[in-house]
Amino acid sequence: MLELRPGCECCNRDLPPDSPEARICSFECTFCEDCASQRLAGLCPNCGGELVARPRRPAGKLAKFPPSATRVYKPAGCGQPVTP
């Protein structure tokens, strides 16, 4: 099950579980749409994987399956994506 991390790793922008702006890689590194497209060229700076729109969990399921409260913030690693 996806963690649904609460913020962008680059700019620390809040990304609630229903945000259409959230982008993730296959390891669930999480970024906002602006950082993913403008700073990272659609590639994860951690693994080099593709950043895609994060699926949104239905509101009725959030109580039983809550999003993560653990924020990952690594602005130093957001200069350029890793070459795959």
Side-chain angles (χ1 to χ4, degrees), residues 8-82:
C8 176
E9 289 188 23
C10 284
C11 69
N12 212 25
R13 177 179 168 188
D14 288 340
L15 294 169
D18 62 347
S19 176
E21 306 294 316
R23 301 291 179 262
I24 62 172
C25 71
S26 64
F27 291 98
E28 291 190 63
C29 300
T30 304
F31 305 93
C32 69
E33 181 179 37
D34 289 340
C35 288
S37 63
Q38 295 175 19
R39 295 175 74 178
L40 303 173
L43 297 176
C44 178
N46 302 316
C47 70
E50 177 184 21
L51 294 172
V52 298
R54 179 179 71 188
R56 289 173 271 176
R57 189 165 297 151
K61 300 290 184 183
L62 287 172
K64 186 173 180 180
F65 304 103
S68 174
T70 303
R71 191 172 287 267
V72 177
Y73 182 46
K74 301 189 288 188
C78 292
Q80 295 188 12
V82 173

